[in-house]
Amino acid sequence: GENVEQHPSTLSVQEGDSAVIKCTYSDSASNYFPWYKQELGKRPQLIIDIRSNVGEKKDQRIAVTLNKTAKHFSLHITETQPEDSAVYFCAASIPGGFKTIFGAGTRLFVKA
Amino acid sequence: EAQVTQNPRYLITVTGKKLTVTCSQNMNHEYMSWYRQDPGLGLRQIYYSMNVEVTDKGDVPEGYKVSRKEKRNFPLILESPSPNQTSLYFCASSWGEGGEQYFGPGTRLTVT
């Protein structure tokens, strides 16, 4: 079945620096790749997503890139701010249903 | 206000005592799903539903049951809870596959 690996598990950056989180997936049929942010004690919320027919997508300070050949996708956060501190999850969805596999998460700390 | 609600938010129970966690959404979404969140393991899908009376297993369905008799409700049933089902549970809904998932506030379950 589908497996999603996410790295690193913990990331600490200085405010203003960039942060990159990487995920790899195993099922080449996966076609939808969302990223969710979960603040402490809160529910996960979508921050950006990308579909398999697109290589890159950007939304202000956040961007996601997808390499279908290598089966990996990455989240890029530029000019990090303390409020970016949270756990970030990548996920992959297989078409034809609602099966969604999440990565184990990355805890991002942004130091002021 | 568009939302996904779960009840109860916190539950402490004993091994073997049947329980139900309710989930309801008011967005007329067809797709609904249950996840459990455990430290270091991310979000793991338990069951999902693509429409009324249509359900399927996720990655970790053992020990759980679901039903989808109405579009807005998707209860999670633990017929005989065990301590290894102690976890944080999230319900989510979406307009369809490849769409943003809206998560409920979570239910923290402890089985002693």
Side-chain angles (χ1 to χ4, degrees), chain B residues 57-80:
Chain B
K57 297 177 181 178
D59 258 9
V60 289
E62 297 79 18
Y64 305 94
K65 284 176 59 176
V66 293
S67 69
R68 187 93 182 272
K69 292 183 169 49
E70 306 165 281
K71 196 172 187 178
R72 63 183 293 125
N73 296 323
F74 190 45
L76 179 70
I77 303 155
L78 285 72
E79 296 258 356
S80 183

mmCIF file of all heavy atoms in Angstrom, chain B residues 57-80:
data_model
loop_
_atom_site.group_PDB
_atom_site.id
_atom_site.type_symbol
_atom_site.label_atom_id
_atom_site.label_comp_id
_atom_site.label_asym_id
_atom_site.label_seq_id
_atom_site.Cartn_x
_atom_site.Cartn_y
_atom_site.Cartn_z
ATOM 1 N N LYS B 57 -12.384 0.779 4.326
ATOM 2 C CA LYS B 57 -11.339 0.758 5.339
ATOM 3 C C LYS B 57 -10.183 1.668 4.956
ATOM 4 O O LYS B 57 -9.790 1.735 3.790
ATOM 5 C CB LYS B 57 -10.811 -0.667 5.516
ATOM 6 C CG LYS B 57 -11.846 -1.649 6.025
ATOM 7 C CD LYS B 57 -11.263 -3.051 6.099
ATOM 8 C CE LYS B 57 -12.299 -4.048 6.579
ATOM 9 N NZ LYS B 57 -11.765 -5.433 6.614
ATOM 10 N N GLY B 58 -9.632 2.313 5.979
ATOM 11 C CA GLY B 58 -8.390 3.027 5.815
ATOM 12 C C GLY B 58 -7.229 2.122 6.193
ATOM 13 O O GLY B 58 -7.307 0.903 6.012
ATOM 14 N N ASP B 59 -6.213 2.704 6.770
ATOM 15 C CA ASP B 59 -5.019 1.926 7.101
ATOM 16 C C ASP B 59 -5.112 1.143 8.406
ATOM 17 O O ASP B 59 -4.444 0.131 8.558
ATOM 18 C CB ASP B 59 -3.816 2.877 7.189
ATOM 19 C CG ASP B 59 -2.969 2.802 5.948
ATOM 20 O OD1 ASP B 59 -3.399 2.160 4.972
ATOM 21 O OD2 ASP B 59 -1.861 3.372 5.959
ATOM 22 N N VAL B 60 -5.914 1.627 9.354
ATOM 23 C CA VAL B 60 -5.970 1.003 10.678
ATOM 24 C C VAL B 60 -7.407 0.772 11.125
ATOM 25 O O VAL B 60 -7.855 1.316 12.137
ATOM 26 C CB VAL B 60 -5.182 1.834 11.722
ATOM 27 C CG1 VAL B 60 -3.691 1.731 11.487
ATOM 28 C CG2 VAL B 60 -5.640 3.292 11.715
ATOM 29 N N PRO B 61 -8.188 -0.075 10.424
ATOM 30 C CA PRO B 61 -9.601 -0.236 10.757
ATOM 31 C C PRO B 61 -9.906 -1.212 11.885
ATOM 32 O O PRO B 61 -11.032 -1.229 12.401
ATOM 33 C CB PRO B 61 -10.175 -0.776 9.442
ATOM 34 C CG PRO B 61 -9.032 -1.565 8.854
ATOM 35 C CD PRO B 61 -7.789 -0.818 9.249
ATOM 36 N N GLU B 62 -8.924 -2.017 12.294
ATOM 37 C CA GLU B 62 -9.195 -3.078 13.267
ATOM 38 C C GLU B 62 -9.687 -2.495 14.587
ATOM 39 O O GLU B 62 -9.074 -1.606 15.163
ATOM 40 C CB GLU B 62 -7.931 -3.918 13.502
ATOM 41 C CG GLU B 62 -7.419 -4.661 12.276
ATOM 42 C CD GLU B 62 -6.635 -3.755 11.335
ATOM 43 O OE1 GLU B 62 -6.203 -2.667 11.764
ATOM 44 O OE2 GLU B 62 -6.476 -4.157 10.158
ATOM 45 N N GLY B 63 -10.795 -3.034 15.083
ATOM 46 C CA GLY B 63 -11.349 -2.613 16.359
ATOM 47 C C GLY B 63 -12.335 -1.463 16.255
ATOM 48 O O GLY B 63 -12.856 -1.001 17.277
ATOM 49 N N TYR B 64 -12.586 -1.003 15.051
ATOM 50 C CA TYR B 64 -13.496 0.136 14.840
ATOM 51 C C TYR B 64 -14.618 -0.243 13.869
ATOM 52 O O TYR B 64 -14.450 -1.106 13.022
ATOM 53 C CB TYR B 64 -12.748 1.336 14.268
ATOM 54 C CG TYR B 64 -11.567 1.796 15.070
ATOM 55 C CD1 TYR B 64 -10.279 1.339 14.774
ATOM 56 C CD2 TYR B 64 -11.722 2.687 16.124
ATOM 57 C CE1 TYR B 64 -9.181 1.763 15.505
ATOM 58 C CE2 TYR B 64 -10.629 3.120 16.868
ATOM 59 C CZ TYR B 64 -9.364 2.645 16.544
ATOM 60 O OH TYR B 64 -8.288 3.066 17.278
ATOM 61 N N LYS B 65 -15.734 0.433 14.023
ATOM 62 C CA LYS B 65 -16.832 0.339 13.069
ATOM 63 C C LYS B 65 -17.326 1.739 12.774
ATOM 64 O O LYS B 65 -17.188 2.654 13.596
ATOM 65 C CB LYS B 65 -17.994 -0.496 13.647
ATOM 66 C CG LYS B 65 -17.766 -1.986 13.660
ATOM 67 C CD LYS B 65 -18.924 -2.704 14.344
ATOM 68 C CE LYS B 65 -20.249 -2.452 13.667
ATOM 69 N NZ LYS B 65 -21.343 -3.232 14.294
ATOM 70 N N VAL B 66 -17.930 1.900 11.595
ATOM 71 C CA VAL B 66 -18.525 3.181 11.232
ATOM 72 C C VAL B 66 -19.862 2.910 10.548
ATOM 73 O O VAL B 66 -20.150 1.783 10.138
ATOM 74 C CB VAL B 66 -17.633 4.011 10.283
ATOM 75 C CG1 VAL B 66 -16.347 4.466 10.978
ATOM 76 C CG2 VAL B 66 -17.319 3.223 9.010
ATOM 77 N N SER B 67 -20.646 3.964 10.442
ATOM 78 C CA SER B 67 -21.873 3.875 9.661
ATOM 79 C C SER B 67 -22.134 5.239 9.040
ATOM 80 O O SER B 67 -21.708 6.264 9.566
ATOM 81 C CB SER B 67 -23.061 3.435 10.519
ATOM 82 O OG SER B 67 -23.400 4.460 11.442
ATOM 83 N N ARG B 68 -22.797 5.253 7.903
ATOM 84 C CA ARG B 68 -23.140 6.528 7.241
ATOM 85 C C ARG B 68 -24.580 6.407 6.743
ATOM 86 O O ARG B 68 -24.854 6.093 5.598
ATOM 87 C CB ARG B 68 -22.188 6.774 6.076
ATOM 88 C CG ARG B 68 -22.362 8.159 5.453
ATOM 89 C CD ARG B 68 -21.442 9.175 6.031
ATOM 90 N NE ARG B 68 -21.621 10.497 5.487
ATOM 91 C CZ ARG B 68 -20.997 10.937 4.384
ATOM 92 N NH1 ARG B 68 -20.185 10.130 3.709
ATOM 93 N NH2 ARG B 68 -21.194 12.163 3.973
ATOM 94 N N LYS B 69 -25.479 6.681 7.665
ATOM 95 C CA LYS B 69 -26.911 6.580 7.341
ATOM 96 C C LYS B 69 -27.459 7.913 6.833
ATOM 97 O O LYS B 69 -28.501 7.947 6.159
ATOM 98 C CB LYS B 69 -27.686 6.106 8.556
ATOM 99 C CG LYS B 69 -27.368 4.655 8.944
ATOM 100 C CD LYS B 69 -28.197 4.197 10.105
ATOM 101 C CE LYS B 69 -28.117 2.702 10.345
ATOM 102 N NZ LYS B 69 -26.750 2.195 10.378
ATOM 103 N N GLU B 70 -26.788 8.992 7.207
ATOM 104 C CA GLU B 70 -27.185 10.319 6.741
ATOM 105 C C GLU B 70 -25.925 11.007 6.223
ATOM 106 O O GLU B 70 -24.827 10.713 6.678
ATOM 107 C CB GLU B 70 -27.757 11.155 7.882
ATOM 108 C CG GLU B 70 -28.891 10.531 8.636
ATOM 109 C CD GLU B 70 -29.117 11.283 9.940
ATOM 110 O OE1 GLU B 70 -28.355 11.053 10.887
ATOM 111 O OE2 GLU B 70 -30.042 12.111 9.985
ATOM 112 N N LYS B 71 -26.114 11.941 5.312
ATOM 113 C CA LYS B 71 -24.964 12.602 4.713
ATOM 114 C C LYS B 71 -24.159 13.370 5.748
ATOM 115 O O LYS B 71 -22.937 13.428 5.678
ATOM 116 C CB LYS B 71 -25.445 13.555 3.615
ATOM 117 C CG LYS B 71 -24.361 14.008 2.668
ATOM 118 C CD LYS B 71 -24.977 14.776 1.511
ATOM 119 C CE LYS B 71 -23.949 15.091 0.462
ATOM 120 N NZ LYS B 71 -24.545 15.799 -0.696
ATOM 121 N N ARG B 72 -24.794 13.994 6.709
ATOM 122 C CA ARG B 72 -24.098 14.879 7.622
ATOM 123 C C ARG B 72 -23.403 14.168 8.781
ATOM 124 O O ARG B 72 -22.537 14.740 9.418
ATOM 125 C CB ARG B 72 -25.059 15.942 8.168
ATOM 126 C CG ARG B 72 -26.206 15.383 8.993
ATOM 127 C CD ARG B 72 -27.158 16.494 9.445
ATOM 128 N NE ARG B 72 -26.488 17.379 10.397
ATOM 129 C CZ ARG B 72 -26.403 18.694 10.244
ATOM 130 N NH1 ARG B 72 -26.917 19.292 9.176
ATOM 131 N NH2 ARG B 72 -25.809 19.432 11.144
ATOM 132 N N ASN B 73 -23.764 12.905 9.068
ATOM 133 C CA ASN B 73 -23.239 12.235 10.252
ATOM 134 C C ASN B 73 -22.394 11.017 9.912
ATOM 135 O O ASN B 73 -22.727 10.247 8.994
ATOM 136 C CB ASN B 73 -24.392 11.788 11.164
ATOM 137 C CG ASN B 73 -25.174 12.965 11.703
ATOM 138 O OD1 ASN B 73 -24.614 14.011 12.013
ATOM 139 N ND2 ASN B 73 -26.495 12.799 11.801
ATOM 140 N N PHE B 74 -21.329 10.824 10.683
ATOM 141 C CA PHE B 74 -20.427 9.698 10.445
ATOM 142 C C PHE B 74 -19.859 9.248 11.795
ATOM 143 O O PHE B 74 -18.733 9.572 12.148
ATOM 144 C CB PHE B 74 -19.317 10.137 9.489
ATOM 145 C CG PHE B 74 -18.446 9.023 8.970
ATOM 146 C CD1 PHE B 74 -18.995 7.828 8.514
ATOM 147 C CD2 PHE B 74 -17.070 9.180 8.883
ATOM 148 C CE1 PHE B 74 -18.194 6.813 8.004
ATOM 149 C CE2 PHE B 74 -16.261 8.179 8.375
ATOM 150 C CZ PHE B 74 -16.828 6.992 7.940
ATOM 151 N N PRO B 75 -20.625 8.489 12.566
ATOM 152 C CA PRO B 75 -20.160 8.086 13.895
ATOM 153 C C PRO B 75 -19.102 6.993 13.845
ATOM 154 O O PRO B 75 -19.105 6.141 12.952
ATOM 155 C CB PRO B 75 -21.445 7.568 14.565
ATOM 156 C CG PRO B 75 -22.316 7.140 13.427
ATOM 157 C CD PRO B 75 -22.008 8.066 12.291
ATOM 158 N N LEU B 76 -18.213 7.034 14.820
ATOM 159 C CA LEU B 76 -17.168 6.020 14.994
ATOM 160 C C LEU B 76 -17.531 5.186 16.213
ATOM 161 O O LEU B 76 -17.778 5.733 17.285
ATOM 162 C CB LEU B 76 -15.809 6.695 15.209
ATOM 163 C CG LEU B 76 -14.608 5.764 15.440
ATOM 164 C CD1 LEU B 76 -14.273 5.012 14.147
ATOM 165 C CD2 LEU B 76 -13.395 6.563 15.918
ATOM 166 N N ILE B 77 -17.569 3.886 16.031
ATOM 167 C CA ILE B 77 -18.008 2.975 17.087
ATOM 168 C C ILE B 77 -16.857 2.067 17.497
ATOM 169 O O ILE B 77 -16.205 1.447 16.641
ATOM 170 C CB ILE B 77 -19.190 2.113 16.596
ATOM 171 C CG1 ILE B 77 -20.339 3.030 16.138
ATOM 172 C CG2 ILE B 77 -19.661 1.165 17.702
ATOM 173 C CD1 ILE B 77 -21.258 2.392 15.135
ATOM 174 N N LEU B 78 -16.609 2.002 18.802
ATOM 175 C CA LEU B 78 -15.646 1.046 19.357
ATOM 176 C C LEU B 78 -16.451 0.052 20.167
ATOM 177 O O LEU B 78 -16.946 0.364 21.242
ATOM 178 C CB LEU B 78 -14.610 1.750 20.229
ATOM 179 C CG LEU B 78 -13.509 2.545 19.508
ATOM 180 C CD1 LEU B 78 -14.053 3.828 18.874
ATOM 181 C CD2 LEU B 78 -12.361 2.845 20.453
ATOM 182 N N GLU B 79 -16.634 -1.141 19.631
ATOM 183 C CA GLU B 79 -17.504 -2.143 20.261
ATOM 184 C C GLU B 79 -16.893 -2.654 21.564
ATOM 185 O O GLU B 79 -17.604 -2.866 22.548
ATOM 186 C CB GLU B 79 -17.719 -3.319 19.309
ATOM 187 C CG GLU B 79 -18.446 -2.962 18.027
ATOM 188 C CD GLU B 79 -19.918 -3.367 18.061
ATOM 189 O OE1 GLU B 79 -20.336 -3.984 19.060
ATOM 190 O OE2 GLU B 79 -20.648 -3.064 17.103
ATOM 191 N N SER B 80 -15.592 -2.860 21.592
ATOM 192 C CA SER B 80 -14.916 -3.358 22.788
ATOM 193 C C SER B 80 -13.549 -2.677 22.889
ATOM 194 O O SER B 80 -12.528 -3.263 22.511
ATOM 195 C CB SER B 80 -14.759 -4.880 22.708
ATOM 196 O OG SER B 80 -14.177 -5.384 23.892
#
